């Protein structure tokens, strides 16, 4: 009788699913609340979009929106809302919005895990 060696393989851990949606960091929530209070438009939100352009092919766009549009994805945390159109959402899945303040500059930044390359100024990217 031939005995065959049995090999056991360690169970493979399934890959971690990519985070869904748009995350809002504490710093972004605090700054957006402050800006909405200053504008006296607490029901408004920040619209984030991805558009063609820039030196790397795509660029972010941010603007105030009084309300969401019909097909928008709406992300809310502590009363602060972010609106994203369905096309832009495909590029932004898993992204976190943060607000950074340094001696040289301050502003919102998108930490996007989908970016494969970005320009030196950080204003445009490619996936």
């Amino acid at each position: 009788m031939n005995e065959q060696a049995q090999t056991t393989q360690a169970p493979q851990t399934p890959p971690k699913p990519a985070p869904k949606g748009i995350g809002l960091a504490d710093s972004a929530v605090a700054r957006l609340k402050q800006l909405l209070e200053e504008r006296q438009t607490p029901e408004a939100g920040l619209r984030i979009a991805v558009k063609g352009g820039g030196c790397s092919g795509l660029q972010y766009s941010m603007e105030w929106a009084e309300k969401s549009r019909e097909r928008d994805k709406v992300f809310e945390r502590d009363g602060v809302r972010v609106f994203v159109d369905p096309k832009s959402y495909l590029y932004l899945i898993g992204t976190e919005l943060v607000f950074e303040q340094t001696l040289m500059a301050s502003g919102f930044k998108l930490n996007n895990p989908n970016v494969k390359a970005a320009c030196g100024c950080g204003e445009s990217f490619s996936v």
Side-chain angles (χ1 to χ4, degrees), residues 65-78:
E66 295 306 314
K67 61 181 182 175
S68 65
R69 295 180 187 149
E70 184 178 333
R71 297 185 63 220
D72 279 347
K73 302 256 186 213
V74 179
F75 303 96
E76 186 171 347
R77 180 173 163 215
D78 298 337

Side-chain angles (χ1 to χ4, degrees), residues 22-48 61-65 74-84 95-101 106-110:
I22 308 291
L24 303 174
D26 292 342
S27 61
V29 170
R31 182 65 176 147
L32 285 170
K33 276 186 177 184
Q34 180 184 13
L35 292 170
L36 287 167
E37 286 173 10
E38 288 173 8
R39 293 181 81 236
Q40 298 180 0
T41 55
E43 299 301 314
L46 182 68
R47 174 169 301 287
I48 301 174
S61 167
M62 292 186 203
E63 63 186 14
W64 291 113
V74 179
F75 303 96
E76 186 171 347
R77 180 173 163 215
D78 298 337
V80 171
R81 286 176 298 287
V82 171
F83 310 130
V84 180
T95 296
E96 181 182 39
L97 176 68
V98 298
F99 180 75
E100 294 182 342
Q101 191 164 3
S106 66
F108 290 100
K109 179 180 175 187
L110 293 163

